[in-house]
């Protein structure tokens, strides 16, 4: 596609997304869209570290939980607005990511992936046993129905919709900026061959930490948004291994290492999850998960590069 | 805390360690062959435990008696997994391989839930039960049986891969796929065999665990997490190394539970793992 055309298509898509809540006024379709935006944001954030820099993290729930817990604890103990809590959460996630990164970035391949699982399990177990932050019972976010923008709580899903869309656009913008910068080239060089990158003078460790910091910060923003949207958090909902897996699954389905892959993955997987849950869930038989697991297997066999790879191949064939 | 309690803890940690080692050995064998981590390993264990349970519930076969059947069934499961799934992602990127086995894990776990429900099952009145007291220490006979059985299976596995011709072919394939196939080894067959043997290890471990452990669809998850850490601790693909690592994990789990807090016993294991890989990124006995 020539450039002006993509630009126009992007504008049209954005206009459609902006008008969506005006057309669909029922809570349910808005809720599905909000969750698409949220998971697309998380997968985009994960993609910076795993897709571009090649470090496959299976513990990103840690940063999501950091964002959710930081803003919630701050609003409960100090009455701080969740917007400030959101920034604090992102800052804490960055700090945490640097601490975690120091040992785990010495590892490669599967060793790295398993170490990130271990970190995720450590953090989740700690939070389950830390009573001051609610332990296993979790935390309720204090209800504030003043409707003030500062309170970050709204009766109307429309406001959440625009905030989630804003987060997604931020994540995409950051990714695009990185993609075209020297840093982006360094990331990809590390992904393709770490030793070769090092031999060309790229400070590998420092750039891995950078990718981790960006990824952690964006993920934490999503965590705070989730806490304010659901108004209840516990270790089982914001820190589980299954969330870490879901985040990468979305990116893998769409296509890792591509700008639009995570969004495409979320736009497919979130509604699909909803549909199977509605039609097949609730029987206690886990039929929805059965199909979900089967689909994952099929995708990894048939389309290991994700949907973006399919699109690119199609484009190459026609062009 | 008295020295007695500590000693008791060490003994039970040691006993569990051999079972962990056997579970991890299957994982390590598969990884050594083709650099794929089987994320459905815990679900294999769960299926082994369910098959042991049903052999008891339907035909009154004791876990120890049905053990060879379970091992054979799991061998077939591993073989079928390779033929039906893994073979197709051998050349795919690492992420696709991870998700192939993750998908299988979710599939098997929810299939178990759909068929058998979420209830906990326990084999009542097994052949091996009771406990013995030894110099003031109590040792549960089921745990002892599981431990000795796991150790025997481990020794057999080690003998098989280091002394038999098929075992040598397996190791040759692990070392260099192309060179092995030039020597006339059917590497495809070795891969399938590796998956079969790896799953059969879990089959034996599952049968032994069922003597004293509850069976339910999610039972594999915590065992699998420990198995990944055990394998990475011992060094991926190093089967004898996993024996030491399994014992270490068993001991740290118990000692962490006793000395820190029962709720934090897995944290102790994971922290130890991170400390070890910080010092030796390739694990205790691994090579890069």
């Amino acid at each position: 596609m020539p450039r002006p055309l993509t630009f126009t298509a992007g504008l049209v898509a954005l206009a459609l997304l902006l008008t969506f809540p005006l057309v669909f006024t029922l809570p349910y379709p808005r809720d599905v869209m909000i969750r698409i935006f949220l998971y697309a944001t998380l997968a985009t954030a994960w993609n910076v570290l795993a897709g571009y820099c090649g470090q496959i993290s299976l513990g990103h729930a840690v940063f999501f939980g950091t964002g959710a817990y930081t803003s919630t604890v701050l609003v409960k103990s100090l009455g701080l607005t969740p917007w400030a809590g959101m920034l604090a959460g992102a800052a804490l996630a960055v700090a945490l990511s640097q601490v975690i990164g120091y040992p785990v970035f010495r590892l490669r391949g599967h060793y790295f992936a398993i170490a990130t699982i271990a970190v995720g399990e450590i953090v989740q177990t700690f939070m389950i046993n830390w009573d001051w932050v609610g332990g296993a019972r979790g935390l309720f976010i204090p209800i504030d129905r003043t409707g003030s923008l500062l309170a970050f709580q709204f009766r109307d899903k429309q406001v959440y919709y625009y905030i989630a869309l804003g987060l997604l656009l931020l994540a995409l913008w950051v990714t695009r900026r990185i993609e075209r910068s020297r840093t982006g080239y360094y990331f990809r060089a590390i992904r393709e061959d770490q030793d070769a990158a090092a031999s060309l003078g790229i400070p590998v460790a420092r750039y891995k930490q950078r990718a981790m910091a960006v990824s952690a910060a964006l993920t934490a923003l999503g965590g705070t948004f989730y806490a304010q949207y659901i108004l209840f958090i516990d270790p089982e909902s914001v820190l589980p291994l299954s969330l870490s897996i879901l985040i990468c699954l979305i990116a893998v389905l769409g296509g890792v290492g591509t700008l639009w892959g995570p969004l495409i993955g979320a736009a497919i997987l979130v509604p699909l999850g909803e549909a199977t849950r509605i039609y097949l869930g609730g029987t206690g038989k886990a039929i929805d998960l059965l199909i979900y697991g089967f689909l994952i297997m099929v995708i990894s066999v048939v389309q290991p590069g994700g949907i973006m790879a399919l699109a690119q191949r199609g484009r190459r064939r026609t062009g | 805390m008295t020295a007695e309690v500590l000693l008791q803890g060490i003994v039970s940690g040691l006993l569990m360690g051999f079972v962990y080692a056997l579970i991890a050995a299957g994982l390590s064998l598969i990884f050594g062959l083709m650099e794929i981590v089987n994320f459905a390993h815990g679900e294999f264990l769960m299926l082994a435990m369910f098959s042991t349970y049903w052999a008891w519930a339907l035909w009154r076969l004791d876990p120890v008696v049905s053990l060879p059947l379970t091992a054979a069934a799991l061998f077939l499961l591993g073989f079928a997994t390779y033929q039906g799934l893994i073979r197709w992602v051998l050349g795919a990127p690492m992420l696709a391989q991870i998700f192939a086995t993750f998908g299988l894990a979710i599939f098997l776990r929810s299939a178990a839930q759909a068929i058998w429900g979420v209830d906990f099952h326990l084999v009542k009145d097994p052949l091996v039960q009771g406990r013995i007291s030894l110099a003031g220490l109590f040792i549960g006979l089921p745990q002892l049986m599981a431990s000795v059985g796991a150790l025997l299976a481990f020794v057999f596995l080690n003998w098989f891969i280091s002394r038999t011709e098929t075992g040598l072919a397996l190791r040759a394939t692990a070392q260099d796929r192309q060179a092995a196939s030039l020597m006339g080894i059917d590497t495809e067959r070795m891969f399938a065999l590796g998956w079969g043997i790896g799953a059969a290890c879990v089959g034996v471990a599952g049968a032994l665990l069922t003597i004293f452990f509850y069976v339910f669809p999610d039972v594999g998850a915590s065992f699998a997490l420990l198995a990944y850490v055990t394998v990475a601790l011992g060094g991926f693909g190093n089967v004898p190394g996993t024996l030491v690592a399994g014992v270490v994990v068993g001991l740290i789990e118990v000692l962490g539970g006793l000395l820190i807090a029962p709720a934090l016993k897995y944290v102790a294991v994971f922290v130890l793992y991170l400390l070890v890989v910080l010092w030796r990124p390739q694990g205790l006995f691994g090579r890069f």
Side-chain angles (χ1 to χ4, degrees):
Chain A
M1 245 189 281
R3 291 225 57 220
L5 208 63
T6 20
F7 186 69
T8 325
L11 273 187
V12 171
L14 190 63
L16 282 179
L17 285 177
L18 285 173
T19 47
F20 179 90
L22 307 177
V23 180
F24 294 87
T25 48
L26 287 172
Y28 185 66
R30 287 176 176 180
D31 176 68
V32 172
M33 289 303 280
I34 290 170
R35 264 173 313 138
I36 290 176
F37 295 153
L38 175 61
Y39 285 112
T41 306
L42 300 178
T44 304
W46 180 83
N47 195 29
V48 171
L49 177 64
Y52 289 94
C53 199
Q55 308 301 308
I56 294 163
S57 157
L58 296 178
H60 253 52
V62 167
F63 305 124
F64 186 75
T66 305
Y69 269 100
T70 307
S71 65
T72 305
V73 165
L74 285 176
V75 79
K76 275 182 93 89
S77 58
L78 302 176
L80 196 70
T81 160
W83 291 104
M86 199 176 211
L87 295 180
L92 188 62
V94 169
L96 195 63
S97 77
Q98 301 307 294
V99 175
I100 295 171
Y102 181 72
V104 296
F105 278 137
R106 296 161 51 100
L107 307 172
R108 296 183 185 192
H110 288 94
Y111 284 91
F112 177 82
I114 288 183
T116 56
I117 294 182
V119 170
E121 291 299 308
I122 291 172
V123 173
Q124 192 189 11
T125 314
F126 257 116
M127 296 310 276
I128 287 174
N129 291 287
W130 191 7
D131 278 333
W132 189 69
V133 294
R137 278 169 290 117
L139 290 174
F140 283 98
I141 286 80
I143 300 294
D144 181 333
R145 282 303 187 216
T146 53
S148 131
L149 201 61
L150 274 181
F152 206 141
Q153 283 185 30
F154 314 99
R155 281 176 188 282
D156 197 353
K157 281 199 176 2
Q158 197 174 353
V159 192
Y160 286 115
Y161 179 97
Y162 288 120
I163 297 173
L165 181 60
L167 280 181
L168 173 62
L169 291 177
L170 173 71
L172 288 172
W173 178 73
V174 169
T175 308
R176 169 49 72 90
R177 283 292 301 266
I178 291 175
E179 207 176 37
R180 291 178 171 178
S181 69
R182 178 198 295 266
T183 308
Y185 283 103
Y186 282 7
F187 284 175
R188 275 167 280 182
I190 294 170
R191 177 186 70 192
E192 293 308 325
D193 189 336
Q194 180 178 329
D195 297 316
S199 73
L200 289 174
I202 297 175
V204 171
R206 196 194 308 157
Y207 275 86
K208 282 183 183 175
Q209 293 278 35
R210 257 186 218 181
M212 181 92 143
V214 173
S215 184
L218 289 172
T219 309
L221 298 181
T224 300
F225 175 82
Y226 175 90
Q228 292 303 124
Y229 183 53
I230 305 291
L231 296 177
F232 171 72
I233 56 169
D234 68 344
E236 204 40 59
S237 62
V238 298
L239 286 165
L241 176 60
S242 56
L243 175 65
S244 302
I245 303 296
L246 179 64
I247 293 172
C248 21
L249 185 64
I250 288 169
V252 170
L253 173 65
V256 287
T258 61
L259 179 63
W260 301 108
L263 175 58
I264 293 171
I268 292 171
L269 211 56
V270 172
L272 191 74
E274 285 294 308
T276 48
R277 193 171 59 83
I278 290 169
Y279 293 114
L280 303 164
T283 53
K285 290 278 187 196
I287 304 290
D288 53 332
L289 287 175
L290 196 81
I291 293 173
Y292 179 65
F294 185 74
L295 279 179
I296 298 173
M297 281 192 280
V298 170
I299 291 163
S300 53
V301 170
V302 179
Q303 200 52 52
I307 289 161
M308 284 300 283
L310 199 68
Q312 274 158 4
R313 207 188 313 154
R315 193 184 304 168
R316 219 167 292 143
R317 207 172 289 152
T318 53
Chain B
M1 171 173 323
T2 61
E4 231 166 62
V5 177
L6 204 64
L7 213 59
Q8 182 80 53
I10 289 174
V11 169
S12 55
L14 211 61
L15 292 181
M16 255 341 251
F18 291 127
V19 181
Y20 290 155
L22 183 59
I23 300 173
L27 203 59
S28 190
L29 183 75
I30 293 169
F31 183 87
L33 269 177
M34 58 190 80
E35 307 220 330
I36 288 182
V37 173
N38 175 20
F39 281 99
H41 212 61
E43 280 59 38
F44 282 14
L45 183 75
M46 178 269 295
L47 288 179
M49 293 177 78
F50 262 112
S51 87
T52 309
Y53 170 77
W54 284 113
W56 172 82
L58 296 177
W59 307 313
R60 294 292 150 198
L61 284 180
D62 191 80
V64 184
V65 180
S66 64
L67 189 144
L69 293 177
T70 309
L74 264 285
F75 181 91
L76 289 179
L77 176 70
F79 195 85
T81 303
Y82 176 75
Q83 296 293 356
L85 179 67
I86 305 303
R87 198 153 67 90
W88 309 98
V89 294
L90 274 183
M94 178 178 153
L95 266 170
Q97 296 173 342
I98 289 179
F99 278 107
T101 56
F102 254 122
L104 181 65
I106 297 172
F107 180 78
L108 292 177
R109 199 185 299 181
S110 32
Q113 194 182 330
I115 301 168
W116 298 309
V118 289
D119 292 338
F120 285 49
H121 304 281
L122 188 65
V123 171
K124 290 181 200 76
D125 211 14
L127 266 181
V128 185
Q129 53 181 322
R131 58 182 190 181
I132 51 169
S133 108
L134 204 77
L137 294 175
F138 290 106
I139 297 172
L141 279 178
Q143 283 83 351
L144 188 65
M145 171 76 209
S147 177
V148 171
L151 193 60
L152 285 178
F154 203 100
V155 169
F156 177 75
L157 174 71
N158 214 31
W159 168 81
F160 179 80
I161 56 175
S162 57
R163 289 283 178 271
T164 65
E165 197 165 329
T166 317
L168 287 179
L170 268 176
R171 285 198 305 165
T173 310
Q175 242 169 39
D176 191 331
R177 203 179 294 184
Q178 273 173 339
S181 69
L182 284 176
M183 295 298 119
I185 295 169
D186 184 350
T187 50
E188 275 281 311
R189 223 185 97 228
M190 287 304 129
F191 284 165
L193 189 69
W195 272 83
I197 295 172
C201 289
V202 186
V204 175
L208 293 167
L209 275 174
T210 313
I211 307 177
F212 61 94
F213 214 86
Y214 289 101
V215 183
F216 56 100
D218 275 351
V219 66
S222 58
F223 283 104
L225 270 179
L226 287 181
Y228 303 137
V229 171
T230 307
V231 172
L233 196 59
F236 271 110
N238 184 327
V239 174
T242 53
L243 183 63
V244 180
V247 171
V248 169
V249 166
L251 285 177
I252 296 298
E253 182 191 350
V254 169
L255 293 180
L258 279 177
L259 301 175
I260 308 166
L264 298 182
K265 60 181 185 180
Y266 291 139
V267 170
V269 174
F270 294 137
V271 168
L272 171 94
Y273 162 70
L274 288 180
L275 288 178
V276 168
V277 292
L278 186 59
W279 160 58
R280 270 184 76 82
Q282 70 275 47
L284 290 171
F285 310 100
R287 295 158 287 136
F288 256 133

